Amino acid sequence: MARGAGPPLRRLLLLLLQLLALPAGRGNRTGPDSMYVSEYFSQSAQKLSFYSWYGNAKLFHFHVPEDTVLLRWLLQASRGKGPECTSMEITVHFRYGAPPVINPLGTRFPANATVRPSYNISITLSSAVQNTTFVNVTTPAAGDWFIAAHLPEAAGRIEVKGFSTPCPYMFQADMFVLRLTDMPVLEPGVAMPQTIVSPAKPLHVKVFVPKHAAGMRLELLSCVSSEHKACAVRVVLGSITLPQSFQRILTCTGSTNCSLALDSPPWEKWLQIMVESLGAANASVLVEVVASFTGEASGNASDRRSFCLQPQPVVREDLDVVSVRYRLLNGPSVPVNSLSPTLLLLNLNTGMDSGGSLVVSLLLNKTSVGLANASVAACVSAASPVLSPNATQNCSTAFFQGYPLSMSTSSAEAMLIVPYPQTDDWFLSLQLICPKGQGACDSAEAKVTVFAYLTPCFNDCGPYGQCSLLRRHGYLYAACSCKAGWGGWSCTDDTKAQSVGAQNLATLLLTLSNLMFLPAIAVAVYRYYLVEASVYTYTMFFSTFYHACDQPGVAVMCIMDYDTLQYCDFLGSVVSIWVTILCMSRVKKILKYVLFVLGTLLIAMSLQLDRRGVWNMMGPCLFALVIMVAAWVYQGVKRRHCYPSSWKRWVFYLLPGITLAFIAISVYAFMETNENYYYTHSIWHVLVACSVAFLLPPRDKHKKPWAWSQKLTCRYQICQNDREELYAVT
């Protein structure tokens, strides 16, 4: 969308219009019937992240209008000014028609997946706080364009929110387009004379490719220079698409005819043609261009099968977001022969289909009639199908390199996975190929079962991954987040994967380490701190089952919803610290229990607002410490000696407990990484539980140890008045 115009923006626009060599007005009229118009599109800046999976890449989605002759990207990267900000390299990927398929970590893609490297550039932020980069694309393809930007690979350290301030790296992409209004239309079979005023102002025309066009021929019938010299022009057919571009270039010299033939041009699309003069700067050139198309030859009725396509009716069934199934009306099996290709249309042109993975699975029926040593060649292509047998083996069209597949009686299955297929009509072409020539198996017919569907994540990311649906404004796309050391596009790369034994060990450590709360619970019960013991029991229970549910792979068990377990674990951990410190303060019971309840309610509220914020733990701890210090100072002043007064209490209980607590906080805040999480976090569990057992104060002097025989007596009961230290018989 267009950004609002302010004084700084106007200056920027004026600068960019000058860079585009246009006057700052309505446009630049280059002829009686055409005019250049510039347009500006922008999206809000995004904060970049270090890369660990595709969700860390920030996506920008733009739409290039028709008849665009120049596209200019303005890429702005910036970083903060704090001491934590260092030199950084930002990688920016470009792609037409779908989000870029990237692999910064160098992991493996799933078997049968065909991936072409994305076009990318690097932007370095060193001493400069901001970097501005321009990227130009001449005659870009109209439609969706995507940009993805990210920082280098993540270090893997688990940072507690609030303990450190990460440096903000920001990235913004703006798009400027120069399009031609009233672009001349080249009618098929009709010669069009046009004048190229100068080499700096090339001629732009377009022609519409009809459906079922098998070939196209472009001819330069005449070329006359105003200087009466040998005419030299360059003809460029098609538009630029990234990462791969298949523009066809034809250089013509002299006055002789010059032509270029294309097989399988893109159906039902405008094909842009640019003619530029290679002569002198002040010389004009008069050219005459004609375009013609060849369709499917009908042939005679008796031999129609050898010329015509065999289209199979396909119904698109939308199942969910980026989830589509293609159903063949005549059954899952289609006939395939050697005389003409069998064609299936896979519609992926809604604009919302490019965020998933296209999967095509083929199965050859080995009992097909007359197969012998013949094989079936298949080709999956976008924009137009492959129509001739030779091209089927090569699997290429005029402006697209397709994805070939092959089946035979020895290898009857074939599968293709296309991550993020570009928005377009896709075609599946199948044809029977005979080793002794096409005439050797004219009577043979193969049966091929076709399964084609669009899925958000292939195989739902497997057992060691999670398929996440991502959104950029109104555009939705999916990606896999891998666990347990697995990696790759679909979490199929086991190079760094944890073994099943390691997964079981991690689960046992993270769950059984919570049993160290049992000594703390026993101490609390023995000293009559029953409320505190209940809190520790709650924490031990939910921490155990939260970590049992949080594990990837096979060693996982969830007794309830994951989010509920996580919330209860975090709540129990913070409340345990809260009640322990308040218990150490030795305030009056009524005040202590009021603070217990009030603090728990406030902690529950803060965790709901921000579950991972460091102040959710540090805030209650500091407030409880203030209360404890105030209570100890009050007791010390009242008694006129240090409180607690016993040196044994300090040496054997308080100092070891405080030391264990500080070590636990250090491990939790500064030592945890993705690789060592299962044992460093287990150490955190052990240290915290042991510190609680040391820090709990002794029981009141007026309370006797548990004596079950006295509790079970009848008739008479001895009651103790803690306040007056008197006894009465009732």
Side-chain angles (χ1 to χ4, degrees):
M1 62 180 176
R3 182 188 288 175
L9 181 58
R10 290 196 188 99
R11 291 195 295 269
L12 178 62
L13 288 173
L14 289 172
L15 172 63
L16 290 167
L17 288 173
Q18 292 173 0
L19 292 173
L20 289 170
L22 292 173
R26 293 177 56 194
N28 182 21
R29 192 176 290 274
T30 60
D33 300 322
S34 60
M35 182 178 67
Y36 288 109
V37 175
S38 58
E39 294 179 317
Y40 168 61
F41 303 89
S42 178
Q43 291 185 9
S44 58
Q46 298 190 68
K47 185 178 179 181
L48 297 180
S49 302
F50 290 94
Y51 191 90
S52 61
W53 68 296
Y54 200 91
N56 298 130
K58 304 305 178 182
L59 193 69
F60 295 83
H61 178 203
F62 293 93
H63 186 83
V64 176
E66 292 282 352
D67 301 338
T68 297
V69 297
L70 178 62
L71 164 64
R72 171 162 291 181
W73 300 106
L74 171 60
L75 310 177
Q76 302 177 76
S78 62
R79 62 177 175 85
K81 299 180 181 180
E84 69 277 359
C85 296
T86 59
S87 299
M88 190 61 60
E89 185 177 84
I90 300 172
T91 306
V92 185
H93 305 263
F94 301 83
R95 191 185 177 193
Y96 165 75
V101 179
I102 61 178
N103 189 18
L105 306 182
T107 53
R108 294 198 303 263
F109 284 82
N112 305 313
T114 303
V115 179
R116 286 153 187 171
S118 65
Y119 175 80
N120 63 81
I121 63 172
S122 295
I123 300 176
T124 302
L125 287 173
S126 53
S127 58
V129 178
Q130 188 169 358
N131 186 311
T132 301
T133 304
F134 292 95
V135 177
N136 293 338
V137 180
T138 57
T139 61
D144 294 330
W145 283 78
F146 293 84
I147 296 178
H150 61 83
L151 298 177
E153 180 181 357
R157 181 171 172 267
I158 301 176
E159 294 185 354
V160 180
K161 184 177 178 181
F163 269 110
S164 60
T165 304
C167 177
Y169 296 93
M170 306 299 295
F171 181 82
Q172 182 174 1
D174 296 338
M175 184 181 74
F176 301 85
V177 297
L178 182 67
R179 64 181 180 88
L180 191 62
T181 62
D182 301 323
M183 182 179 289
V185 177
L186 186 61
E187 297 290 342
V190 179
M192 172 184 287
Q194 290 285 328
T195 301
I196 305 175
V197 179
S198 67
K201 297 179 180 179
L203 169 66
H204 293 275
V205 298
K206 62 181 180 180
V207 61
F208 187 77
V209 180
K211 191 176 182 179
H212 301 141
M216 173 184 172
R217 183 178 180 86
L218 182 71
E219 292 184 85
L220 188 65
L221 299 179
S222 64
C223 182
V224 180
S225 174
S226 62
E227 295 186 342
H228 304 288
K229 295 181 180 179
C231 181
V233 296
R234 179 167 54 219
V235 183
V236 180
L237 279 77
S239 303
I240 289 182
T241 59
L242 297 177
Q244 291 180 309
S245 183
F246 298 93
Q247 278 186 322
R248 302 301 180 93
I249 300 177
L250 175 66
T251 303
C252 302
T253 58
S255 58
T256 57
N257 287 358
C258 192
S259 63
L260 178 65
L262 301 176
D263 291 327
S264 300
W267 288 0
E268 298 186 292
K269 285 185 175 58
W270 288 101
L271 182 62
Q272 195 173 138
I273 303 170
M274 182 179 69
V275 185
E276 52 185 346
S277 174
L278 302 178
N282 57 352
S284 62
V285 177
L286 177 64
V287 295
E288 192 174 12
V289 184
V290 64
S292 57
F293 297 96
T294 57
E296 301 170 28
S298 60
N300 54 53
S302 61
D303 200 25
R304 174 179 292 267
R305 185 184 172 197
S306 63
F307 291 91
C308 293
L309 290 172
Q310 299 185 69
Q312 300 293 322
V314 179
V315 175
R316 172 190 165 114
E317 295 182 354
D318 290 273
L319 304 177
D320 206 337
V321 179
V322 290
S323 182
V324 178
R325 180 176 60 190
Y326 298 96
R327 182 166 57 89
L328 280 68
L329 292 182
N330 296 333
S333 297
V334 297
V336 181
N337 59 62
S338 63
L339 300 177
S340 58
T342 300
L343 186 64
L344 285 79
L345 170 63
L346 308 177
N347 185 341
L348 289 173
N349 61 5
T350 65
M352 299 298 293
D353 301 326
S354 56
S357 294
L358 174 63
V359 181
V360 178
S361 178
L362 306 176
L363 177 62
L364 174 65
N365 187 348
K366 297 182 180 180
T367 61
S368 301
V369 179
L371 266 184
N373 294 326
S375 62
V376 174
C379 180
V380 180
S381 59
S384 59
V386 175
L387 300 176
S388 59
N390 291 334
T392 302
Q393 296 175 352
N394 190 29
C395 198
S396 63
T397 62
F399 299 104
F400 189 84
Q401 176 59 51
Y403 304 95
L405 297 170
S406 180
M407 293 165 290
S408 63
T409 53
S410 59
S411 179
E413 296 184 19
M415 176 179 283
L416 172 69
I417 305 169
V418 183
Y420 294 163
Q422 73 179 50
T423 299
D424 216 324
D425 284 331
W426 286 70
F427 297 90
L428 171 62
S429 304
L430 303 103
Q431 194 157 9
L432 194 63
I433 304 298
C434 298
K436 298 181 181 179
Q438 293 303 103
C441 53
D442 286 351
S443 60
E445 185 176 79
K447 290 287 187 180
V448 178
T449 302
V450 179
F451 297 100
Y453 57 93
L454 179 73
T455 180
C457 302
F458 176 70
N459 198 26
D460 201 24
C461 301
Y464 298 101
Q466 178 180 0
C467 184
S468 299
L469 192 63
L470 309 173
R471 182 175 65 88
R472 174 58 178 167
H473 292 169
Y475 180 77
L476 299 174
Y477 58 106
C480 289
S481 175
C482 306
K483 299 180 180 180
W486 289 72
W489 189 264
S490 300
C491 302
T492 55
D493 188 346
D494 59 352
T495 305
K496 301 179 181 180
Q498 294 181 1
S499 64
V500 176
Q503 296 176 44
N504 291 328
L505 176 62
T507 303
L508 290 175
L509 283 175
L510 288 169
T511 54
L512 298 183
S513 60
N514 288 284
L515 296 180
M516 291 303 296
F517 269 101
L518 290 175
I521 295 171
V523 171
V525 171
Y526 177 76
R527 296 176 181 177
Y528 285 93
Y529 297 123
L530 302 183
V531 174
E532 290 84 342
S534 302
V535 173
Y536 302 150
T537 304
Y538 175 95
T539 303
M540 179 184 67
F541 177 85
F542 280 104
S543 180
T544 299
F545 286 101
Y546 162 65
H547 286 290
C549 184
D550 188 46
Q551 299 307 304
V554 295
V556 58
M557 183 183 71
C558 298
I559 63 171
M560 60 181 69
D561 181 68
Y562 173 85
D563 188 70
T564 303
L565 288 172
Q566 185 187 67
Y567 181 83
C568 293
D569 172 51
F570 287 16
L571 178 64
S573 301
V574 181
V575 174
S576 295
I577 299 173
W578 171 253
V579 300
T580 301
I581 300 177
L582 287 179
C583 184
M584 294 170 61
S585 66
R586 305 300 289 266
V587 296
K588 292 184 178 181
K589 286 187 178 181
I590 184 65
L591 178 60
K592 181 177 74 169
Y593 293 132
V594 168
L595 290 174
F596 277 4
V597 175
L598 184 60
T600 301
L601 294 176
L602 293 176
I603 291 170
M605 179 197 68
S606 64
L607 287 175
Q608 183 64 30
L609 295 175
D610 186 5
R611 193 170 299 180
R612 296 187 178 275
V614 66
W615 287 107
N616 290 331
M617 180 180 294
M618 296 299 295
C621 289
L622 294 177
F623 186 68
L625 285 172
V626 170
I627 297 176
M628 184 188 75
V629 171
W632 284 11
V633 170
Y634 173 78
Q635 292 290 341
V637 171
K638 181 180 179 181
R639 301 184 183 188
R640 296 185 179 182
H641 58 74
C642 181
Y643 184 86
S645 58
S646 172
W647 66 269
K648 294 182 180 180
R649 178 67 187 163
W650 281 97
V651 173
F652 296 110
Y653 295 97
L654 292 180
L655 291 180
I658 294 172
T659 302
L660 290 174
F662 272 107
I663 296 175
I665 293 174
S666 301
V667 171
Y668 178 79
F670 306 110
M671 294 181 60
E672 287 188 354
T673 64
N674 293 326
E675 287 74 20
N676 65 17
Y677 175 79
Y678 67 95
Y679 61 83
T680 54
H681 200 74
S682 300
I683 293 174
W684 152 262
H685 288 165
V686 173
L687 293 175
V688 168
C690 293
S691 69
V692 168
F694 278 98
L695 293 175
L696 280 176
R699 66 178 179 271
D700 293 336
K701 295 181 179 180
H702 304 296
K703 286 188 178 292
K704 295 182 179 180
W706 287 94
W708 298 106
S709 59
Q710 295 182 10
K711 302 298 179 181
L712 299 177
T713 56
C714 305
R715 299 176 65 182
Y716 295 100
Q717 181 179 359
I718 299 178
C719 299
Q720 179 181 2
N721 189 320
D722 295 335
R723 186 172 183 178
E724 298 181 0
E725 302 182 4
L726 298 177
Y727 294 86
V729 178
T730 59

